[in-house]
């Protein structure tokens, strides 16, 4: 049957979109008015989502808590956590749910037809018939609840509550929230849809249920299907099983627009800084303006171009002017077009309130000059090329292409039922904008929206020492007051809810209910591993690794320079060197001009440090400095010229510019450490006992941050020293004997590189340089890094190969099992942390780490009991099959052309053969409970090393100081 023949649906539009090689349908469910968008093509990575327009009227986080809660059991699947059952037992290529400021989306993806159907079925049942009405414990677990600790003190806990405490620990996240509130105070954007920690406990269970009753109805739904499937069959299933049971309903979920301001507003908020962290020159200044309507498809793209050209790319005029005046250690812009009314912001981070007027005057001065004299045409064309290349390549890494299209579809569809596809059909828009570069179009946009637009806000975020402690005390006082007003009956209710939560968490699901979750079999798993696509070649006498993969005319080229025999006093500066390239002047270009040339000719040029440990010879590892690009085949010669310009003629003598780069890098790394504390703790903990991770820490981790922040503080004394280090490192690294070329693309494009590689090889350094072998020292440090945040990231790490234990494929099954059973249950469900992860690598490197965790010692105890849990582990065939399928889901993520080349290159560099990959696969598919029990010794082996690192709040770390060998501020 064809979509047009379905009687339950009306086809509003059927149209081919050649830009994405798809036939699209816009449909409407006749009975309920449910909106349906179909994107039909030959992509086997199929995507489904159902979304709802959710417009909260407060900051209790009700939309976010509901997003978590509906996935905790439903009518047809009445188990505690269908989401986890799917995560550990499906071949999904994406499985999640997301709360946006004005909508909530439930997407799934899979390449397996039956698996895709199963995922879609479970998600539809979850949103329409969740178990939340019959079990308040779901709301209390995922949202918030009271607890009484051992001392009888009243506290808050809950997964979303702790997640948002972590989110609000980042001043950048607080800034984004304040900008939205300042610009759109009378709309849903004036509230925090994720939930503000201070406000979340105001949400009642009945209000939570009312939100579901109001918004989670087919009449308020948006259904999206993408890929190679029988669309009519899917729509018939959705109608027969779900939509047909509902009648049409008027749902008031329209996203209101904020009326234009008559004059700009000013908003000031404080944020905490850690003990010892300076509050001077640590203010955020943000000038933000509301920019049109997201349904204006030309403006939607044009402002991305302006954002990039004005303030994002190195040397962009706004960024350059503010940095050169010293207004901010870091200057960046934001263009948020995920809202009905997009906004554009210029942010100076690491400045002072006293610079506010100068900040505003500088912005207006620069923008005014551009309007009068005209924008640099090459800069605009480079920005257009940058985004058009990304649009045409459509490489979203591990995320399914159909998912990313679908999220963009939702971004216009919600505001106009007839316009779901306007932003995924963009070739014509880019062509128009190229033509308009010569017509003064972008200058007019600046004049209209950035210079003469009163719908604007000045948002100031001021640091305050001691604020974190004051906030903690205020919360403790508030809870103490609440408890003092509680009757004995209300205190008994708290105990009753704690008991109910314990019972809910501890009670297992009935086998017959678990069996209702559809499941594939081991026989459905693909037995044979994907081949490695590696050919050892040469180009002009230079070793080359070639990956013959169809890339649709794009070449992925990488110049890999071995970093060997670098003296220890130079080695850490490689981390700075990689960040300086393309951000300083070269022989023929200023750094701004160079970035334009790169964006005109390529998709990107990126410099990165990598470390490859040989799995067959653990004592061997290769460190590389890699210069990578992607470009159309016709532009590869130009790309090589620019890479040569970059590595051989970069000018490190402009010390003022070096200081700007250091300041910006330190500022951004501080934010990264607050946002991704789990990665910081993980790398640092592994560095205590593993040279490979010690290298990573020296070049990209805490040790590198200590180096760069020290250089920034003492820059006047160190600037000539730094210049010498960078110039000498170039002579040590960029030598013909260190070079290997890596290329993914077709044969002719590879052969065409010969002349360019020969030209580069002849220009590489051959002068005599100092050579010394350097190996970073390793020792257990067990550090607690204190921040002004309110949550912890707790990591224990070690290495099982030190105990003589070999790598086994079943360790991958163990990782899935631990992540979705033992750690999930004890750290997230019971402990209230937002996340928990583990890993068991081929080199023996292992870790447990928590994410946005309210606990510290309690989490460590969970880690320490893990081996005993595994030693006693048992499971039936269904459960084992689930974990095996979940493991294959992670192994068999569809790969883009670039990813196929990357997978093959990494295997080559690490000495991983196809036989090893196949053996791992065979061990996974044959795994039995006794194999899992046998891995208890692996956990004991790495836990015995007792490598602990925690990034977290000052209060928690100091309260458990006995667990650390050293405690210090993270920054």
């Amino acid at each position: 049957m064809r979509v047009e023949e379905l009687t339950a649906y009306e086809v509003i539009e059927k149209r081919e979109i050649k830009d994405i090689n798809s036939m699209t349908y816009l449909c409407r469910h006749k009975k309920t008015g449910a909106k349906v968008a179909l994107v039909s093509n030959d992509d086997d990575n199929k995507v489904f989502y159902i979304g709802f327009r959710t417009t909260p009227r407060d900051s209790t986080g009700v939309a976010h808590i509901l997003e978590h809660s509906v996935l905790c059991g439903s009518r047809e699947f009445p188990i505690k956590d269908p989401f986890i059952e799917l995560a550990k037992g499906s071949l999904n290529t994406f499985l999640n749910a997301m709360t946006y400021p004005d909508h909530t989306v439930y997407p799934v993806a899979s390449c397996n037809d039956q698996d895709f159907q199963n995922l879609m079925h479970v998600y539809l049942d979850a949103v329409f018939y969740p178990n939340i009405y019959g079990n308040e414990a779901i709301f209390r677990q995922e949202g918030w609840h009271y607890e009484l600790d051992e001392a009888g003190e009243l506290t808050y806990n809950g997964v979303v509550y702790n997640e948002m405490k972590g989110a609000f620990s980042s001043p950048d996240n607080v800034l984004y929230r304040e900008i939205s509130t300042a610009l759109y105070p009378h709309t849903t954007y004036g509230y925090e849809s994720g939930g503000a920690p201070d406000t979340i406990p105001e949400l009642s269970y009945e209000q939570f249920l009312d939100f579901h009753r109001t918004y989670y109805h087919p009449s308020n739904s948006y259904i999206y299907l993408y890929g190679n499937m029988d669309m009519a069959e899917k729509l018939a299933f959705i109608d027969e099983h779900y939509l047909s049971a509902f009648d049409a309903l008027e749902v008031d979920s329209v996203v209101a627009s904020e009326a234009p301001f008559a004059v700009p507003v000013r908003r000031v908020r404080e944020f905490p800084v850690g003990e010892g962290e300076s509050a001077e020159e640590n203010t955020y200044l943000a000038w933000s303006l509301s920019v049109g309507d997201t349904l204006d498809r030309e403006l939607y793209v044009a402002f991305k171009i302006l954002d990039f050209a004005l303030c994002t790319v190195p040397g962009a005029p706004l960024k350059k002017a503010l940095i050169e005046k010293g207004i901010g250690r870091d200057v960046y812009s934001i263009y948020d077009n995920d809202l009905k009314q997009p906004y554009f912001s210029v942010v100076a981070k690491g400045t002072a309130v006293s610079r506010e007027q100068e900040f505003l005057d500088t912005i207006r001065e620069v923008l005014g000059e551009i309007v009068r004299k005209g924008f640099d045409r090459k800069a605009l064309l480079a920005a257009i090329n940058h985004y058009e290349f990304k649009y045409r390549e459509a490489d979203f890494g591990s995320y399914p292409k159909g998912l990313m299209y679908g999220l963009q579809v939702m971004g216009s569809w919600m505001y106009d039922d007839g316009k779901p596809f306007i932003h995924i059909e963009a070739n014509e828009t880019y062509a128009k904008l190229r033509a308009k570069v010569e017509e003064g179009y972008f200058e007019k946009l600046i004049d209209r929206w950035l210079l003469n637009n009163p719908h604007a806000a000045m948002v100031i975020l001021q640091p305050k020492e001691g604020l974190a402690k004051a906030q903690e005390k205020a919360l403790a006082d508030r809870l103490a007051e609440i408890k003092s007003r509680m009757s004995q009956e209300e205190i008994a209710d708290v105990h009753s809810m704690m008991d109910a939560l314990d019972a809910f968490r501890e009670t297992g699901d009935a086998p017959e209910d678990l069996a209702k979750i559809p499941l594939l079999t081991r026989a459905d798993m693909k037995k044979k591993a994907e081949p490695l696509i590696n050919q050892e070649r040469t180009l002009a006498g230079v070793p080359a690794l070639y990956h013959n993969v169809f890339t649709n005319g794009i070449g992925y080229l990488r110049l890999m320079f071995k970093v060997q025999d670098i003296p220890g006093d130079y080695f850490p500066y490689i981390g700075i060197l990689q960040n300086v390239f393309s951000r300083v002047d070269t022989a023929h270009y200023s750094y701004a001009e160079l970035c334009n040339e790169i964006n005109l000719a390529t998709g990107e040029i990126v410099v990165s440090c990598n470390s490859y440990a040989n799995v067959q010879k653990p004592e061997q590892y290769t460190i590389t400095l890699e210069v990578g690009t992607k470009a159309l085949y016709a532009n590869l010669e130009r790309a090589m010229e620019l890479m040569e310009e970059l590595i051989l003629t970069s000018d490190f003598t402009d010390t003022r510019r070096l200081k700007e780069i250091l300041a910006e890098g330190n500022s951004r790394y501080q934010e990264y450490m607050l946002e991704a504390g789990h990665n910081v703790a993980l790398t640092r903990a592994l560095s205590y006992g593993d040279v490979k991770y010690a290298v990573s820490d020296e070049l990209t981790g805490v040790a590198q941050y200590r180096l760069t922040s020290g250089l920034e503080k003492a820059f006047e004394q160190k600037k000539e020293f730094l210049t010498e280090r960078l110039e000498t490192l170039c002579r040590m690294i960029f030598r013909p004997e260190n070079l290997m070329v890596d290329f993914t693309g077709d044969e002719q494009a590879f052969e065409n590189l010969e002349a360019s590689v020969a030209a580069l090889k002849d220009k590489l350094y051959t002068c005599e340089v100092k050579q010394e072998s350097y190996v970073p020292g390793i020792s257990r440090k067990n550090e607690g890094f204190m921040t002004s945040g309110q949550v912890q990231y707790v990591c224990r790490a070690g290495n099982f190969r030190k105990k003589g234990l070999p790598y086994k494929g079943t360790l991958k099954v163990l990782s899935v099992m631990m992540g979705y059973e033992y750690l999930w249950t004890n750290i997230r469900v019971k402990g209230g942390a937002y996340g928990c992860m583990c890993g068991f690598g081929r080199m023996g490197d292992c870790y447990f780490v928590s994410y946005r965790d309210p606990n510290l010692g309690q989490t460590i105890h969970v880690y320490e009991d893990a081996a005993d849990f595994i030693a006693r582990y048992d499971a039936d065939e269904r459960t084992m099959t689930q974990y095996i399928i979940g493991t294959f889901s992670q192994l068999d993520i569809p790969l883009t052309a670039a990813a196929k080349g990357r997978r093959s290159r990494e295997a080559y560099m690490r000495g991983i053969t196809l036989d090893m990959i196949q053996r791992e696969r065979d061990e996974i598919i044959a795994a039995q409970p006794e194999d899992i029990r046998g891995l208890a010794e692996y956990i004991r082996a790495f836990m015995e090393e007792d490598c602990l690192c925690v990034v977290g709040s000052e209060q928690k770390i100091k309260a458990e100081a006995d667990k650390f060998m050293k405690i210090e501020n993270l920054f």
Side-chain angles (χ1 to χ4, degrees):
M1 182 178 287
R2 298 183 306 127
V3 170
E4 294 91 332
E5 296 170 355
L6 294 171
T7 58
Y9 298 87
E10 172 192 1
V11 177
I12 299 168
E13 178 188 75
K14 176 183 178 182
R15 186 166 61 87
E16 183 182 10
I17 297 182
K18 292 182 179 179
D19 290 9
I20 58 171
N21 298 316
S22 301
M23 181 62 70
T24 65
Y25 299 76
L26 176 59
C27 306
R28 176 183 172 275
H29 186 251
K30 292 177 182 177
K31 186 181 180 191
T32 64
K35 280 74 69 179
V36 178
L38 311 177
V39 180
S40 181
N41 51 45
D42 62 0
D43 192 342
D44 288 328
N45 198 359
K46 296 170 283 293
V47 178
F48 159 82
Y49 71 58
I50 184 164
F52 301 92
R53 204 159 51 193
T54 48
T55 48
R57 293 171 171 82
D58 57 40
S59 294
T60 59
V62 58
H64 187 189
I65 296 168
L66 191 57
E67 173 235 302
H68 281 238
S69 300
V70 299
L71 296 172
C72 293
S74 64
R75 182 181 67 180
E76 289 192 45
F77 308 104
I79 59 175
K80 287 186 296 185
D81 210 333
F83 175 80
I84 289 301
E85 295 302 309
L86 292 174
K88 68 189 183 185
S90 74
L91 290 175
N92 75 83
T93 55
F94 188 85
L95 179 75
N96 212 328
M98 293 92 88
T99 304
Y100 290 86
D102 54 13
H103 64 283
T104 308
V105 188
Y106 296 84
V108 297
S110 179
C111 295
N112 182 285
D113 292 344
Q114 186 57 54
D115 192 55
F116 180 76
Q117 175 65 28
N118 297 343
L119 293 167
M120 188 175 75
H121 188 181
V122 174
Y123 261 42
L124 284 165
D125 207 66
V127 297
F128 289 127
Y129 300 110
N131 281 350
I132 57 174
Y133 292 94
N135 191 347
E136 185 179 348
I138 294 171
F139 164 64
R140 294 300 171 188
Q141 172 183 283
E142 298 300 318
W144 75 276
H145 61 273
Y146 290 120
E147 288 185 359
L148 288 161
D149 63 20
E150 293 177 355
E153 299 294 326
L154 194 68
T155 62
Y156 291 130
N157 205 348
V159 173
V160 169
Y161 176 73
N162 290 318
E163 177 188 351
M164 297 311 294
K165 282 178 71 176
F168 274 65
S169 295
S170 159
D172 286 65
N173 283 342
V174 174
L175 178 69
Y176 305 151
R177 172 72 261 139
E178 292 299 313
I179 290 171
S180 185
T181 301
L183 287 174
Y184 309 118
H186 304 105
T187 74
T188 195
Y189 304 130
Y191 304 106
E192 174 53 67
S193 64
D198 289 345
T199 312
I200 288 172
E202 296 175 10
L203 180 65
S204 73
Y205 178 48
E206 190 54 41
Q207 289 170 326
F208 164 77
L209 296 179
D210 279 343
F211 198 86
H212 183 269
R213 293 186 191 104
T214 301
Y215 295 105
Y216 279 57
H217 189 279
S219 299
N220 189 45
S221 69
Y222 298 79
I223 296 168
Y224 169 85
L225 287 162
Y226 166 97
N228 185 7
M229 72 185 86
D230 186 334
M231 295 290 185
E233 178 188 71
K234 298 304 176 198
L235 291 183
F237 171 84
I238 294 169
D239 169 59
E240 291 164 12
H241 283 73
Y242 293 99
L243 302 185
S244 61
F246 293 84
D247 295 317
L249 181 72
E250 283 292 326
V251 180
D252 180 13
S253 65
V254 173
V255 181
S257 295
E258 183 73 37
F261 291 177
V263 294
V265 298
R266 186 175 185 270
R267 189 177 180 93
V268 180
R269 175 164 172 169
E270 295 175 330
F271 72 95
V273 291
E275 182 181 294
E277 186 183 351
S278 174
E280 292 183 18
E281 298 289 321
N282 211 356
T283 293
Y284 289 69
L285 301 176
W287 177 241
S288 306
L289 306 104
S290 180
V291 180
D293 190 309
T294 195
L295 294 174
D296 185 333
R297 65 196 301 173
E298 192 170 274
L299 189 66
Y300 178 94
V301 177
F303 248 89
K304 286 201 300 186
I305 307 304
L306 273 181
D307 171 48
F308 189 80
L310 276 175
C311 204
T312 298
V313 69
L318 259 183
K319 183 186 189 79
K320 191 168 187 283
L322 290 165
I323 289 286
E324 287 183 349
K325 288 187 178 182
I327 307 174
R329 295 170 65 216
D330 184 14
V331 172
Y332 59 92
S333 57
I334 305 164
Y335 175 53
D336 188 345
N337 56 10
D338 282 332
L339 313 176
K340 184 179 183 182
Q341 294 172 278
Y343 69 79
F344 175 79
S345 298
V346 181
V347 181
K349 177 179 175 182
T351 185
V353 178
S354 59
R355 309 292 297 273
E356 177 185 356
Q357 192 58 51
E358 188 182 2
F359 170 69
L360 287 171
D361 290 344
T362 302
I363 292 172
R364 290 172 180 141
E365 178 185 307
V366 171
L367 295 178
E369 185 172 343
I370 290 173
V371 170
R372 289 191 304 275
K373 297 183 177 179
F375 216 122
D376 180 342
R377 299 296 189 256
K378 185 171 277 191
L380 287 173
L381 290 170
I384 291 170
N385 189 73
H386 171 80
Y387 281 110
E388 188 174 13
F389 189 102
K390 290 177 69 172
Y391 172 70
R392 290 178 181 272
E393 183 188 27
D395 184 341
F396 302 101
S398 62
Y399 293 105
K401 180 164 57 177
L403 168 70
M404 305 311 288
Y405 286 155
L407 297 178
Q408 205 166 14
V409 161
M410 192 71 174
S412 60
W413 198 11
M414 282 191 310
Y415 312 121
D416 188 324
D417 292 351
K419 295 182 178 179
F421 305 122
I422 61 173
H423 297 319
I424 63 172
E425 188 175 19
N427 277 337
E428 184 180 341
T429 304
Y430 284 112
K432 287 181 178 178
L433 291 175
R434 280 184 184 278
K436 290 188 174 187
V437 166
E438 300 298 332
E439 299 172 5
Y441 171 76
F442 288 94
E443 290 84 353
K444 290 172 187 173
L445 291 184
I446 292 172
D447 191 51
R448 163 69 181 87
W449 295 109
L450 303 184
L451 283 174
N452 295 292
N453 179 7
H455 195 158
M458 183 69 210
V459 177
I460 299 172
L461 219 57
Q462 287 185 278
K464 184 175 181 181
E465 295 178 71
L467 181 59
K469 287 182 178 178
Q471 289 172 334
E472 288 166 1
K473 184 178 185 305
L475 177 60
D477 291 345
R478 174 184 173 187
L479 285 162
E481 183 184 354
I482 290 171
K483 186 187 175 190
S484 71
R485 296 198 309 264
M486 283 181 169
S487 65
Q488 288 301 311
E489 183 180 347
E490 288 171 322
I491 289 176
D493 286 343
V494 172
H495 284 290
S496 294
M497 180 50 68
M498 290 171 66
D499 292 340
L501 281 166
D502 286 341
F504 175 61
R505 295 159 178 164
E506 297 290 347
T507 303
D509 292 309
E512 60 270 23
D513 288 336
L514 284 169
K516 294 174 182 176
I517 295 284
L519 188 67
L520 302 176
T521 68
R522 297 190 195 216
D524 293 317
M525 301 303 102
K526 188 170 66 176
K527 307 297 187 295
K528 193 172 181 181
E530 286 293 318
L532 296 171
I533 309 168
N534 289 322
Q535 295 180 32
E536 292 180 320
R537 303 274 194 93
T538 60
L539 286 167
V542 173
L545 190 63
Y546 172 52
H547 317 289
N548 191 346
V549 176
F550 175 72
T551 61
N552 201 27
I554 297 173
Y556 297 91
L557 172 64
R558 188 169 289 254
L559 305 178
M560 304 174 66
F561 291 90
K562 289 183 181 178
V563 176
Q564 54 189 357
D565 299 325
I566 304 294
D569 53 345
Y570 283 85
F571 186 85
Y573 292 85
I574 298 170
I576 299 174
L577 183 65
Q578 70 167 338
N579 291 323
V580 167
F581 282 124
S582 79
R583 301 171 72 192
V584 295
D585 296 345
T586 62
H588 299 99
Y589 305 104
S590 69
Y591 66 90
E593 292 168 339
L594 179 65
C595 287
N596 288 338
E597 294 297 326
I598 289 171
N599 286 313
L600 282 168
T602 77
E604 65 181 9
I605 293 180
V606 176
V607 182
S608 60
C609 294
N610 284 300
S611 179
Y612 303 95
N614 191 305
V615 299
Q616 300 180 50
K617 301 173 183 177
E619 69 284 356
Q620 291 185 10
Y621 60 94
T622 303
I623 304 168
T624 57
L625 188 62
E626 302 178 8
V627 187
T629 190
K630 54 185 177 182
L632 298 175
Y633 291 156
N635 290 338
L636 283 171
E637 183 178 355
R638 177 59 177 154
M640 279 289 292
E641 291 173 358
L642 291 169
M643 293 161 86
E644 178 185 308
E645 176 89 10
L646 199 83
I647 62 177
L648 295 181
T649 75
S650 285
D651 179 8
F652 306 120
T653 61
D654 183 350
T655 54
R656 176 177 175 175
R657 180 62 188 147
L658 289 181
K659 186 177 182 182
E660 291 170 358
I661 294 168
L662 286 175
E664 180 182 289
N666 288 333
S667 173
R668 295 193 177 185
Y669 197 70
Q670 286 178 1
E671 178 58 22
Y672 166 78
M673 289 191 287
L674 286 175
E675 283 283 326
H678 61 303
N679 287 335
V680 175
L682 187 160
T683 301
R684 188 71 171 182
L686 283 166
S687 76
Y688 300 160
D690 188 315
V691 170
K692 176 181 181 294
Y693 286 95
V695 166
S696 295
D697 187 57
E698 286 209 8
L699 299 182
T700 61
V702 172
Q704 176 69 194
Y705 172 73
R706 294 282 186 262
L707 171 66
T708 56
S709 58
L711 283 169
E712 184 189 358
K713 290 171 184 172
F715 191 78
E716 287 307 310
Q717 296 77 40
K718 296 277 191 176
K719 57 187 180 183
E720 283 83 12
F721 170 84
L722 178 57
T723 294
E724 183 276 328
R725 283 291 186 265
L726 299 178
E727 290 175 341
T728 303
L729 275 172
C730 286
R731 292 191 290 271
M732 291 176 170
I733 295 170
F734 300 123
R735 306 175 66 83
E737 64 268 26
N738 291 340
L739 176 61
M740 183 177 89
V741 177
D742 180 85
F743 182 73
T744 302
D746 74 19
E747 182 79 36
Q748 188 60 55
F750 173 77
E751 292 175 0
N752 289 345
L753 291 170
E754 181 91 18
S756 295
V757 172
L760 172 65
K761 178 185 175 183
D762 288 344
K763 295 173 186 173
L764 293 175
Y765 295 106
T766 56
C767 55
E768 189 172 325
V769 291
K770 181 180 179 182
Q771 293 184 326
E772 286 180 8
S773 179
Y774 171 69
V775 178
I778 55 175
S779 63
R780 189 167 68 92
K781 300 180 180 70
N782 287 22
E783 295 155 305
F785 291 112
M786 298 182 294
T787 73
S788 58
Q790 304 173 64
V791 290
Q792 282 61 248
Y793 304 88
V794 183
C795 182
R796 279 284 292 269
N799 193 299
F800 61 74
R801 285 181 70 157
K802 292 182 181 180
K803 299 289 187 180
L805 298 171
Y807 177 78
K808 295 181 178 181
T810 46
L811 286 163
K812 285 202 174 293
V813 183
L814 176 67
S815 178
V816 173
M817 197 214 77
M818 293 293 288
Y820 290 130
E821 186 170 335
Y822 179 76
L823 294 177
W824 180 272
T825 300
N826 289 287
I827 291 177
R828 177 174 165 126
V829 176
K830 294 181 181 179
Y834 180 51
C836 47
M837 290 143 271
C838 63
F840 303 88
R842 282 186 181 271
M843 295 300 297
D845 43 309
C846 304
Y847 62 86
F848 295 144
V849 66
S850 63
Y851 181 77
R852 292 183 179 171
D853 189 348
N855 306 304
L856 198 165
Q858 178 180 323
T859 296
I860 294 171
H861 287 311
V862 171
Y863 297 162
E864 290 173 341
D865 290 342
D868 290 342
F869 173 82
I870 293 301
R872 300 188 302 268
Y873 185 76
D874 200 10
D876 59 20
E877 175 58 20
R878 177 185 171 84
T879 302
M880 284 304 302
T881 299
Q882 274 188 305
Y883 288 126
I884 289 164
I885 293 170
T887 305
F888 273 95
S889 175
Q890 296 180 5
L891 284 179
D892 292 343
I893 294 171
L895 300 178
T896 62
K900 288 176 182 176
R902 182 169 58 249
R903 170 180 177 262
S904 297
R905 177 180 69 250
E906 290 181 356
Y908 177 87
M909 295 297 294
R910 297 182 61 203
I912 298 172
T913 66
L914 185 58
D915 285 344
M916 291 179 189
I917 295 171
Q918 187 61 55
R919 188 183 317 123
E920 174 187 69
R921 201 173 185 89
D922 294 342
E923 290 171 350
I924 291 168
I925 206 164
Q928 297 296 334
E930 55 267 29
D931 299 313
I932 301 300
R933 289 193 292 273
L935 299 176
E937 63 176 326
Y938 283 70
I939 296 176
R940 290 195 179 96
F942 95 76
M943 287 293 290
E944 283 173 7
E945 288 192 51
D946 188 25
C947 292
L948 169 70
C949 183
V950 177
V951 174
S953 73
E954 176 187 344
Q955 182 184 36
K956 272 285 185 186
I957 287 176
K958 285 187 173 179
E960 304 195 46
D962 59 319
K963 293 178 172 59
F964 303 101
M965 298 168 67
K966 185 179 183 181
I967 293 175
E968 61 181 86
N969 292 318
L970 185 57
F971 43 82

